[in-house]
Amino acid sequence: MARAGSGSLPRYILQRILLVIPMIWVILTVVFVVLRVAPGDPVSAALGGKLNAQALEQRREALGFNRPLIAQYWDYVSSVMHLDFGTTFSDNQPVLRVIRDNGGATLSLTVAAFVIALVVGIPLGLLAGRFRDSVPDVVIRLFGILSYAAPVFFVGFLLQLYVAGPLGLPTSGDASPITVFQVQPKTHILLLDALLSGNGAAIQDVLKHLVLPATTLGLLICGIFIRLVRVNMLQTMQADYVEAAEARGISSGKVTWRHGFRNALVPVITVVGLQFALLLGGAVLTEPTFNWPGIGSKLVFYINNRDYGAVQGIITIFALAVVLISVIIDIVNALIDPRVRF
Amino acid sequence: MRRVAAGLLKPFTETAGLARWMLVAGVLLTAVFVVFALFAPWVAPYGFAQTSAHGVAFPKLGHPDSQHWFGTDRLFFDVFSRVIWGARTALEVVVLSIFFCVVIGVPLGLASGYYGGWFDRIVVLVMDAMYAFPSFLLAIVFSFLLTNVYGGSVVAVSLSLTAVYIPQYFRVVRNTTLSAKEATYVEAARAIGATDGRIMRRYLFGNVIQSVPVLGTLNAADAILTLAGLGFLGLGIQSTDAAEWGHDLNRALADAGGGVWWTGLYPGLAIVLLVTGLTLVGEGLNETLNPTLRRRRLLPVVMPGRAAPNLVEEERS
Amino acid sequence: MAIDVSDRTVAISPGEPVISARDVRVWYGTTRGAIRAVDGVSFDLAPGETLGLVGESGCGKSTLGRGLMGLLPEGAKRDGQVLFRGQDIFSLSAKESYQLRGRELGMIFQEPLTRLNPLMRISQHFEETIKQHEPGLSKDEIRERALEALRLMGIPPTRYRSYPHEFSGGMRQRLMIALALVLRPAFVVADEPTTALDVLVEAQIVQILNDLRRNFQTSLLLITHNVGIVAEACDRVAVMYAGRIVEQGTVAEVFKNPQHPYTRELLRSTISLSTTGLNYIPGAPPDLVDPPDGCRFHPRCPQAMNVCATQNPVNMERPGGGRVECWLLGPDEQVPPGGKQPLKQEELTVADEA
């Protein structure tokens, strides 16, 4: 029988981290296999129009495409272990540099969207679950479904058409040229840099540019949160311990809050964290819609140029980020739910 | 036969209030688009890549009017027709991809759950890795790959979607198989010498197949969004090959600046309505089949008045 | 554990009964129609007395317990009069009901693990309950009360800050009992408290329940299908069948001289060390949506008469004290001519057994 209190939290964390390693290896393998299996030659696909046959062959040699597949695979995995994610073909930049330059924009977009989704989605889901089949429940559920059913680029389109004008919000880019000029790129995250610089006009400008894209992306996730939280709330309110609490005379409000909401949110936290994957996918669609200079826009650019090196590098980083986040979420879950730790 | 019909209607007859209306609304919405898809050549006034009729060229970015109910876009296409033809494209791709998912995922899940061992472990690891991957990014990767090979055809895009969603089918089938194979009737069947194949076919398949419809419906909703997303990025079907709502929205985005709303609004609405319809059906089915969530239509209790107590010698000592 | 009957009848003197139930009905709403789970139940419960409510699964005993507490699912309706210390608890407002629960009316459930919030420590469970009903107490006082309740149940104070899943089944049930009793309610319903526990633990819990009436003067309604427990822990017993109490009286009297055929069958099917063959009652309990006419037990009763199939038996005092409803005991003047002839039973088909 485990001791009362924290249980074996450090051991759980260690186990979890160890479990991740085979998962990472599998993901790397899947990415490599899928992308390399394409017949045809990545190099010519990317650069065919720009270089002559000889130069293409040189390139192929330099990038190691003439080596046996296993060797290429090993190159790929070992360089990832050294945090080297390769170089783009079309503009010959290290992928890491692309991430560094554009990652900040994607980060501020996804974090802002996540916050909006949490703040709007979770309370609405709890309410809908608590007052099942009432008018608010119906409206909230409908809202949840619609916000997920409307693709981000459509929502972006509508916002640009009908909201941006009346509210005077910009629809393109993450800042005006003046702001970009004025703000020192210390962290490469524009919002943070603007805050650090203390320049009021710059901060306002950055925030104004952030509103529409973040709301668009946030709405996507919001719908999912609403549904998840609602279902969890419904099941929690039927739990035996809820009835037992009522049998002890605990007031309806307290039962809802202490036994209902709190317990309903625990499984939600795990799933909420897993939406990070969805956020990334959504970002890839939101950024081109608003000309947002993030990794998503860059990815689209490289895809249209058939730049295999860039696509492989960026996808690998995304996948690893998702796995990392899932480990963190599991650990947070263990912190909150004592049953997980034994 | 009547039992089958009764079973099909159970979602309608046994649910109460809202769940039933949502299901009904969902079915209606979906049905509209299915009709569009099936009867596109007759319902749509023009072809999806048609730029003139009766010798008169279509206007560029023309306002909605009696000739073009939803207006025209910058490629001189009629938006209304493209919306209708788009339904056909969407349903074609989605049905095809679900078909592949079921045909590959169900047997794989059955075999994996039933036989276990290292085969199972490897497949599970691969499927989990794919499942953990952001689904849209996975779709991008696969279509990047497949369009290199096959170009932007319906089959290529369907296969990309299949690759994205197979892990879900696999998981569900495998989990159901794992629990079903422990049933005593399976043990009994094995004891009398039934072969593995027979067991899987007769006993497990029926159990397993039950979870597929709900999954398929919710999947279809998601697949349409993914398809539209791929189209938006230019990774899917090209405008001249077929009508695809996402791709049309890509072009419409540039029009928004000029105040042109019809090229984007209608394809977008089409996506929203179809996905909503499918989601409502899927959720409605889910609520019906999941007993804890089901809200049954309870007949109200009417108690007749208290009968005069037929007690003999009711004494209180 | 011999029960001295004469002692009992003197100890439970005719004061005001704690619970006085009259013609209680609890019906469930379903898609088919109303299930008459409890259909006209009356009983009294004196202070410090334990009443065993015994019967087959589905006879309505659990429903009765929940109905008294007011813990009924959606679509259920209750009717009748239940006086708790003179006040009709069936006609209270929701808020007043809440105030009574936990403080004056307590409930002990069957499966303790699911009845405790897995994310809350035991200490938090107690604090919540005590604070709800006695908001004026300080933190230390609350702790004192809780620890004392635990001590009486044999749970050491070192476990006070543990989580529910860290306890064994028997300890969890003792926790539940402590939690239900911490505010010293006057009336407690125990719904199959030992069914989910193994035999040794069961004995401990029974002992605890026994001590209850001695130490706290708590009136206990002990719901169980286990006749042995009733014999050990209860003062009086009420035998329930198909929503009605067919016989009630002191344990000694009812077990020595069962008057109702169902009670007799029930006692005969109990297994003891001297059992050589298994007895069972053929058939199954009736469908409560549409119960049989007349006495509900008549389809399975070995001594059924014609009148039993047509008229409800009269609830009357049984010889030896208590109440019973069975035409075998009369009243003869209400039996129509020919009513006393044995009833021709249909062959119970195999399907009925299932």
Side-chain angles (χ1 to χ4, degrees):
Chain A
M1 200 66 57
R3 269 179 305 121
S6 64
S8 47
L9 189 59
R11 183 150 50 111
Y12 179 78
I13 294 181
L14 191 62
Q15 275 179 343
R16 194 61 193 83
I17 294 181
L18 285 177
L19 275 176
V20 140
I21 294 177
M23 179 73 94
I24 292 182
W25 174 75
V26 171
I27 287 188
L28 290 180
T29 310
V30 168
V31 170
F32 179 81
V33 164
V34 167
L35 286 176
R36 284 307 274 127
V37 153
D41 166 24
V43 179
S44 356
L47 301 166
K50 304 181 195 157
L51 301 176
N52 62 23
Q54 198 187 16
L56 281 177
E57 186 54 39
Q58 277 177 345
R59 265 305 186 86
R60 251 180 248 126
E61 187 67 42
L63 289 168
F65 278 105
N66 287 339
R67 302 175 65 206
L69 217 56
I70 295 291
Q72 294 187 43
Y73 174 65
W74 181 246
D75 281 346
Y76 167 63
V77 175
S78 52
S79 43
V80 168
M81 291 296 117
H82 291 107
L83 294 182
D84 169 16
F85 294 94
T87 320
T88 70
F89 291 179
S90 38
D91 48 8
N92 213 11
Q93 284 193 66
V95 172
L96 270 182
R97 168 128 40 101
V98 174
I99 302 286
R100 190 199 65 173
D101 289 342
N102 298 289
T106 304
L107 193 62
S108 42
L109 174 63
T110 47
V111 168
F114 195 74
V115 167
I116 291 180
L118 275 180
V119 164
V120 174
I122 291 191
L124 286 182
L126 288 172
L127 274 175
R130 176 65 183 87
F131 300 108
R132 180 189 193 157
D133 281 356
S134 61
V135 170
D137 178 30
V138 172
V139 170
I140 292 174
R141 285 176 78 183
L142 220 49
F143 172 69
I145 293 181
L146 286 177
S147 64
Y148 181 70
V152 277
F153 41 90
F154 183 51
V155 173
F157 171 81
L158 290 175
L159 286 180
Q160 287 180 17
L161 206 50
Y162 296 117
V163 173
L167 288 184
L169 290 168
T171 63
S172 181
D174 62 347
S176 67
I178 309 172
T179 311
V180 175
F181 181 66
Q182 284 181 343
V183 172
Q184 293 274 26
K186 287 198 211 113
T187 62
H188 287 280
I189 301 175
L190 192 58
L191 183 57
L192 280 183
D193 289 336
L195 285 169
L196 284 173
S197 77
N199 182 337
I203 297 176
Q204 228 190 15
D205 184 50
V206 171
L207 282 175
K208 269 171 76 169
H209 276 88
L210 188 56
V211 170
L212 286 182
T215 308
T216 307
L217 187 54
L219 271 179
L220 170 70
I221 316 289
C222 186
I224 299 183
F225 286 178
I226 290 180
R227 263 198 280 166
L228 279 168
V229 171
R230 180 182 175 272
V231 167
N232 266 298
M233 191 60 192
L234 286 179
Q235 293 189 314
T236 304
M237 288 308 289
Q238 289 181 348
D240 282 346
Y241 52 82
V242 168
E243 191 183 37
E246 286 174 350
R248 294 197 297 273
I250 314 292
S251 69
S252 177
K254 289 212 193 96
V255 167
T256 305
W257 179 256
R258 195 108 189 257
H259 297 271
F261 286 177
R262 271 182 38 169
N263 283 55
L265 284 182
V266 165
V268 165
I269 287 178
T270 316
V271 192
V272 154
L274 294 177
Q275 300 315 311
F276 181 66
L278 192 62
L279 264 180
L280 276 185
V284 172
L285 287 171
T286 314
E287 291 181 11
T289 311
F290 288 94
N291 281 332
W292 191 261
I295 307 182
S297 293
K298 275 290 186 187
L299 184 61
V300 174
F301 167 73
Y302 287 128
I303 287 176
N304 286 328
N305 283 341
R306 300 252 164 263
D307 190 328
Y308 167 85
V311 171
Q312 181 186 50
I314 296 180
I315 295 286
T316 309
I317 291 186
F318 275 177
L320 292 179
V322 169
V323 169
L324 196 66
I325 300 271
S326 77
V327 173
I328 296 180
I329 295 294
D330 274 352
I331 295 178
V332 168
N333 197 28
L335 275 169
I336 299 179
D337 187 347
R339 289 171 293 179
V340 177
R341 292 181 216 145
F342 50 83
Chain B
M1 192 59 213
R2 203 184 314 162
R3 280 184 63 201
V4 170
L8 277 177
L9 287 178
K10 204 159 48 152
F12 294 96
T13 48
E14 277 200 7
T15 49
L18 191 63
R20 183 201 278 202
W21 290 124
M22 285 175 95
L23 197 55
V24 168
V27 169
L28 282 178
L29 272 176
T30 314
V32 164
F33 284 97
V34 169
V35 163
F36 280 177
L38 289 175
F39 301 109
W42 297 279
V43 178
Y46 310 107
F48 57 80
Q50 197 173 337
T51 52
S52 64
H54 314 301
V56 177
F58 293 165
K60 178 173 176 168
L61 292 176
H63 268 272
D65 57 28
S66 54
Q67 291 287 81
H68 303 278
W69 291 354
F70 288 176
T72 60
D73 65 17
R74 65 163 60 172
L75 294 180
F76 306 92
F77 297 150
D78 174 47
V79 176
F80 183 60
S81 305
R82 280 190 76 85
V83 168
I84 297 188
W85 284 100
R88 171 174 277 205
T89 313
L91 285 173
E92 261 178 6
V93 169
V94 164
V95 166
L96 203 56
S97 85
I98 294 185
F99 173 73
F100 285 135
C101 275
V102 170
V103 158
I104 303 177
V106 170
L108 200 58
L110 257 179
S112 190
Y114 189 73
Y115 289 115
W118 57 264
F119 166 71
D120 174 47
R121 279 206 215 115
I122 292 184
V123 176
V124 165
L125 201 54
V126 171
M127 288 292 178
D128 274 355
M130 285 173 67
Y131 188 69
F133 215 92
S135 67
F136 190 63
L137 294 182
L138 199 58
I140 290 181
V141 166
F142 276 106
S143 57
F144 182 64
L145 159 72
L146 287 165
T147 47
N148 257 340
V149 179
Y150 295 114
S153 71
V154 168
V155 174
V157 180
S158 306
L159 285 177
S160 314
L161 291 180
T162 304
V164 174
Y165 293 118
I166 260 198
Q168 290 182 30
Y169 288 83
F170 171 80
R171 264 187 171 200
V172 166
V173 170
R174 179 179 174 272
N175 284 344
T176 327
T177 308
L178 280 180
S179 45
K181 81 170 180 182
E182 301 302 327
T184 38
Y185 58 81
V186 172
E187 228 180 289
R190 233 180 278 162
I192 59 175
T195 63
D196 288 338
R198 192 176 173 79
I199 292 182
M200 283 200 275
R201 254 181 304 126
R202 264 201 87 151
Y203 301 106
L204 299 176
F205 185 73
N207 266 332
V208 147
I209 205 75
Q210 277 178 19
S211 29
V212 171
V214 175
L215 185 59
T217 318
L218 291 174
N219 230 191
D222 210 68
I224 296 199
L225 285 175
T226 309
L227 171 67
L230 288 176
F232 177 75
L233 293 182
L235 274 177
I237 297 163
Q238 299 307 305
S239 293
T240 41
D241 293 337
E244 203 278 300
W245 295 324
H247 199 64
D248 287 1
L249 266 167
N250 179 322
R251 282 180 287 120
L253 210 53
D255 301 337
V260 171
W261 51 272
W262 55 91
T263 48
L265 183 70
Y266 294 112
L269 273 182
I271 299 177
V272 174
L273 289 174
L274 180 52
V275 171
T276 304
L278 285 168
T279 308
L280 287 177
V281 173
E283 272 209 358
L285 278 180
N286 205 15
E287 267 208 11
T288 311
L289 297 174
N290 186 344
T292 49
L293 294 178
R294 188 181 345 185
R295 198 74 179 277
R296 310 189 80 137
R297 191 158 43 120
L298 304 172
L299 296 173
V301 175
V302 175
M303 281 186 179
R306 243 178 276 172
N310 194 4
L311 300 174
V312 174
E313 299 153 40
E314 222 237 42
E315 275 166 27
R316 295 239 202 157
S317 47
Chain C
M1 180 175 195
I3 299 172
D4 191 347
V5 177
S6 52
D7 225 17
R8 278 293 157 232
T9 38
V10 166
I12 307 166
S13 53
E16 195 59 35
V18 167
I19 291 276
S20 189
R22 290 290 173 270
D23 207 28
V24 173
R25 287 186 286 178
V26 181
W27 290 9
Y28 291 122
T30 68
T31 48
R32 275 192 307 140
I35 293 183
R36 308 186 190 183
V38 176
D39 206 10
V41 158
S42 307
F43 66 91
D44 283 340
L45 195 55
E49 180 179 46
T50 301
L51 174 64
L53 188 56
V54 76
E56 287 170 289
S57 309
C59 69
K61 49 193 199 298
S62 244
T63 307
L64 179 57
R66 283 155 173 278
L68 291 173
M69 291 292 295
L71 293 174
L72 293 172
E74 198 193 314
K77 225 169 164 190
R78 64 181 189 179
D79 185 49
Q81 185 195 67
V82 176
L83 297 178
F84 171 68
R85 290 184 169 163
Q87 193 188 23
D88 183 7
I89 57 178
F90 273 19
S91 56
L92 290 176
S93 70
K95 187 159 174 227
E96 290 165 332
S97 298
Y98 268 105
Q99 282 168 347
L100 268 191
R101 274 190 232 143
R103 210 214 173 119
E104 303 285 3
L105 309 175
M107 182 132 186
I108 299 169
F109 293 90
Q110 176 175 339
E111 171 49 75
L113 175 58
T114 54
R115 298 290 174 177
L116 294 166
N117 189 329
L119 301 182
M120 279 169 61
R121 299 178 194 270
I122 301 304
S123 52
Q124 291 167 310
H125 280 92
F126 277 96
E127 278 157 22
E128 177 189 48
T129 309
I130 299 177
K131 263 200 264 198
Q132 173 74 44
H133 295 283
E134 297 200 28
L137 290 182
S138 75
K139 233 182 162 230
D140 285 328
E141 286 170 325
I142 294 179
R143 222 178 103 90
E144 274 311 304
R145 290 267 200 114
L147 287 178
E148 205 208 321
L150 288 174
R151 184 179 56 84
L152 287 168
M153 291 299 145
I155 297 175
T158 49
R159 308 297 300 274
Y160 186 50
R161 287 182 51 75
S162 302
Y163 286 97
H165 68 274
E166 292 171 322
F167 290 89
S168 66
M171 284 191 94
R172 273 198 289 266
Q173 189 58 296
R174 282 191 262 162
L175 266 176
M176 289 259 35
I177 297 177
L179 200 50
L181 296 180
V182 69
L183 292 169
R184 308 274 196 272
F187 172 63
V188 173
V189 174
D191 188 1
E192 311 248 21
T194 58
T195 305
L197 305 170
D198 63 55
V199 180
L200 293 175
V201 176
E202 188 179 63
Q204 290 173 355
I205 302 291
V206 168
Q207 181 64 45
I208 291 177
L209 292 177
N210 258 333
D211 293 341
L212 268 185
R213 36 183 170 145
R214 266 198 288 276
N215 293 329
F216 301 125
Q217 280 282 302
T218 315
S219 304
L220 182 64
L221 179 66
L222 179 53
I223 301 175
T224 177
H225 59 261
N226 184 334
V227 173
I229 302 242
V230 170
E232 280 193 51
C234 301
D235 302 311
R236 285 173 44 234
V237 62
V239 178
M240 210 164 158
Y241 184 79
R244 294 194 61 86
I245 292 183
V246 296
E247 185 167 3
Q248 56 174 303
T250 61
V251 167
E253 182 44 45
V254 171
F255 283 10
K256 256 198 317 212
N257 302 317
Q259 297 297 310
H260 196 281
Y262 178 63
T263 315
R264 284 199 280 266
E265 297 297 319
L266 203 58
L267 290 172
R268 275 193 342 141
S269 35
T270 314
I271 298 178
S272 73
L273 285 176
S274 54
T275 305
T276 44
L278 281 179
N279 282 314
Y280 64 97
I281 313 175
D287 174 17
L288 290 175
V289 174
D290 189 18
D293 292 327
C295 170
R296 294 180 182 193
F297 185 57
H298 84 257
R300 298 166 81 189
C301 181
Q303 296 163 281
M305 305 182 294
N306 279 336
V307 61
C308 303
T310 50
Q311 286 184 15
N312 283 324
V314 173
N315 188 297
M316 42 187 278
E317 187 159 345
R318 56 190 288 289
R323 306 202 68 81
V324 68
E325 45 184 57
C326 179
W327 285 116
L328 286 171
L329 298 163
D332 288 343
E333 58 271 19
Q334 295 197 24
V335 178
K340 285 251 178 183
Q341 299 302 316
L343 180 68
K344 200 148 172 292
Q345 297 275 28
E346 292 153 13
E347 274 301 315
L348 289 166
T349 58
V350 177
D352 282 349
E353 298 277 335

